[in-house]
Amino acid sequence: MSNIVDVPFSHEHLLSTEEILSLGVSHDNVEWYRRKIYQQSFSISSWIDTVPSDYTFKTRFFPINLSEAQVLAKISSERDEDELLVLQGLCDRLTCFIGEYFPSGAFVKLNTRSPKDVPVYDTENRELQQLLWNQIESAPDCFHTDENHQTWSFVKATNKYMKCMDGTRAIDLLSRSTRVREDLTKILCFGLIEDFECQLVIREWIDEVVDRPEYEFRGFVSEKKLNALSMYYCLAHSEELVQRKEEVQNIILDFFEKIKHRIPHSSYVIDFYIKANTSVLIIELNPFHIGAGPCLFSWKENREQFLHGPFEFRIIEEIPKDFQIIPIRWKKYIDYRYVKQPRNTRKSKELGFPFVLTVVIVGLALGNIWFNMDHKIKITN
């Protein structure tokens, strides 16, 4: 039996109730305020200048004002004409900024969370549908109905949709994201107008990262010790990763030794990406809290391990028999397109209604000509 005493987790940025109340926050909002401050303390701006520039993505910060934040925090259907003009102004500023600093594309997020929830549920989006079709059909036909291949295809397609070449895509994502709206609401709820501060994070877009999602990992660090490591996309199997598991583990552990004393936090959740050349990038840090997804671990079952070890690296060792990572509406769409219909039927459907209508009209016309000619021949005979 372990002789470690299970004590409540503490952190210098996890304020006590007394500290929060002394700031003038009401009792009803204490927990909300505590989470806001704790979450913000792990934002990219808190650590990016402490590590070498080649250890993470090229990043720039883009301040937004109170009016812009208020509009982004609103549900789309509730915005009036004046607020839409505010968004257009923000859009124009972002287009100029991205064009100047990230001409090959950018990833745009709040200093806290990203709008990655938008493409996951945007099942009627034709561009997204096409991205998904392209990913699925990039493999031989025999893999099109393979759920593991479909899962990786879905991950890649939804990630690719996040690429921003201008302000239009950035505003579309930010203004429709529930995650962004929640975080902005917290900021606006407690921020005084004269002290208001909010910024977007604009990061370089690297196609390789999107094309190799199996090489993204999440680590759990307590008191500057990496105690657990997991695949980030934890409901899909990669045979290549299985074969390289020990190598990948050593790459991450060696990299962590280089950066652990540079990170200005003692306990946190960290996301890594291993490039094809085996160099490692820090993607982001998250609070050491149940709000950070545990991937192949569990905050309930593995809390002790997160806090004290021993170290463990988990990946999907074999294809799960029963798993479902793709949202049900996307799954139904995929099944309809790739399972219910033969390939030839799918291809003809892609030609669209105008083409089909044209074929029908031409067919009827030719049929009518044939009938008239045949009728004349019979009369002549």
Side-chain angles (χ1 to χ4, degrees):
M1 180 179 293
S2 173
N3 58 1
I4 297 175
V5 178
D6 187 18
V7 296
F9 173 73
S10 62
H11 189 277
E12 60 268 27
H13 295 295
L14 201 57
L15 302 180
S16 68
T17 298
E18 291 73 20
E19 289 175 310
I20 297 172
L21 290 173
S22 69
L23 298 173
V25 177
S26 68
H27 283 276
D28 292 341
N29 289 323
V30 164
E31 189 57 34
W32 201 3
Y33 186 83
R34 190 189 340 263
R35 293 183 182 183
K36 166 186 174 290
I37 296 300
Y38 187 49
Q39 182 184 36
Q40 287 185 337
S41 69
F42 291 88
S43 63
I44 291 175
S45 58
S46 75
W47 58 266
I48 194 166
D49 291 332
T50 68
V51 299
S53 59
D54 59 342
Y55 281 13
T56 189
F57 298 79
K58 176 185 174 183
T59 303
R60 287 190 174 270
F61 298 97
F62 184 92
I64 62 174
N65 60 41
L66 177 61
S67 297
E68 292 166 338
Q70 288 172 329
V71 175
L72 284 175
K74 274 194 170 185
I75 297 174
S76 300
S77 60
E78 297 178 354
R79 296 179 186 131
D80 59 31
E81 291 186 8
D82 290 338
E83 289 169 333
L84 292 177
L85 288 175
V86 170
L87 278 189
Q88 185 57 56
L90 176 58
C91 177
D92 294 341
R93 287 173 55 214
L94 278 169
T95 294
C96 293
F97 191 88
I98 292 171
E100 179 178 357
Y101 295 107
F102 303 97
S104 297
F107 180 78
V108 180
K109 64 189 292 292
L110 282 185
N111 202 17
T112 48
R113 293 192 292 176
S114 74
K116 67 180 183 180
D117 54 316
V118 173
V120 172
Y121 301 105
D122 196 5
T123 54
E124 301 300 320
N125 188 309
R126 296 303 299 271
E127 181 183 349
L128 252 176
Q129 291 172 357
Q130 188 62 55
L131 286 171
L132 180 56
W133 302 341
N134 292 344
Q135 288 298 146
I136 291 178
E137 295 191 348
S138 65
D141 287 7
C142 60
F143 288 100
H144 292 178
T145 58
D146 177 79
E147 291 198 357
N148 193 63
H149 173 64
Q150 290 178 356
T151 298
W152 284 124
S153 296
F154 178 76
V155 169
K156 293 176 184 180
T158 52
N159 284 345
K160 285 184 176 183
Y161 189 77
M162 300 293 294
K163 184 175 185 178
C164 297
M165 295 300 299
D166 54 32
T168 301
R169 173 56 57 84
I171 292 299
D172 174 65
L173 290 168
L174 293 167
S175 64
R176 293 195 292 135
S177 171
T178 299
R179 287 157 53 92
V180 168
R181 187 161 57 250
E182 288 175 348
D183 290 356
L184 284 174
T185 299
K186 291 177 184 177
I187 295 171
L188 292 165
C189 180
F190 300 106
L192 299 175
I193 294 178
E194 60 269 29
D195 295 326
F196 179 80
E197 182 179 349
C198 185
Q199 58 188 353
L200 302 179
V201 178
I202 319 292
R203 314 193 80 184
E204 68 175 319
W205 184 271
I206 302 177
D207 287 326
E208 177 194 328
V209 178
V210 177
D211 291 332
R212 301 171 70 247
E214 64 271 32
Y215 284 97
E216 186 172 340
F217 304 93
R218 170 157 289 188
F220 300 84
V221 179
S222 178
E223 299 303 323
K224 295 192 178 294
K225 182 180 178 183
L226 180 60
N227 290 323
L229 183 67
S230 171
M231 291 177 68
Y232 184 82
Y233 296 103
C234 53
L235 287 176
H237 171 265
S238 168
E239 186 57 34
E240 179 180 310
L241 185 57
V242 172
Q243 299 300 320
R244 298 184 65 190
K245 182 180 179 181
E246 184 176 354
E247 177 192 0
V248 165
Q249 174 177 310
N250 291 335
I251 290 172
I252 294 290
L253 289 175
D254 288 346
F255 179 77
F256 181 72
E257 287 300 309
K258 297 176 184 178
I259 56 103
K260 66 180 183 181
H261 294 300
R262 294 176 177 270
I263 302 293
H265 300 287
S266 57
S267 299
Y268 49 91
V269 176
I270 182 171
D271 294 339
F272 305 99
Y273 174 76
I274 299 181
K275 300 178 71 174
N277 64 6
T278 71
S279 62
V280 182
L281 295 174
I282 300 172
I283 299 176
E284 65 180 2
L285 268 61
N286 290 284
F288 191 85
H289 185 267
I290 193 172
C295 297
L296 288 172
F297 292 90
S298 162
W299 280 100
K300 181 179 180 180
E301 297 176 5
N302 302 110
R303 179 178 181 274
E304 183 68 23
Q305 186 175 8
F306 287 168
L307 287 169
H308 306 291
F311 174 82
E312 183 181 0
F313 177 30
R314 294 183 182 181
I315 65 173
I316 297 290
E317 302 281 355
E318 57 184 29
I319 298 177
K321 294 181 180 179
D322 297 305
F323 71 98
Q324 180 65 54
I325 188 174
I326 303 174
I328 188 64
R329 290 183 66 186
W330 274 114
K331 183 58 179 168
K332 287 181 178 179
Y333 179 80
I334 293 171
D335 287 347
Y336 174 74
R337 183 174 176 83
Y338 294 99
V339 180
K340 305 300 183 184
Q341 302 180 74
R343 184 173 179 83
N344 290 339
T345 304
R346 297 201 309 267
K347 287 298 183 182
S348 65
K349 187 172 181 178
E350 289 174 17
L351 296 174
F353 178 75
F355 177 83
V356 174
L357 181 60
T358 301
V359 171
V360 171
I361 293 173
V362 171
L364 289 173
L366 290 174
N368 187 52
I369 292 171
W370 176 85
F371 175 80
N372 289 335
M373 290 178 63
D374 183 60
H375 186 63
K376 288 180 181 178
I377 290 172
K378 287 180 180 180
I379 293 174
T380 303
N381 290 340

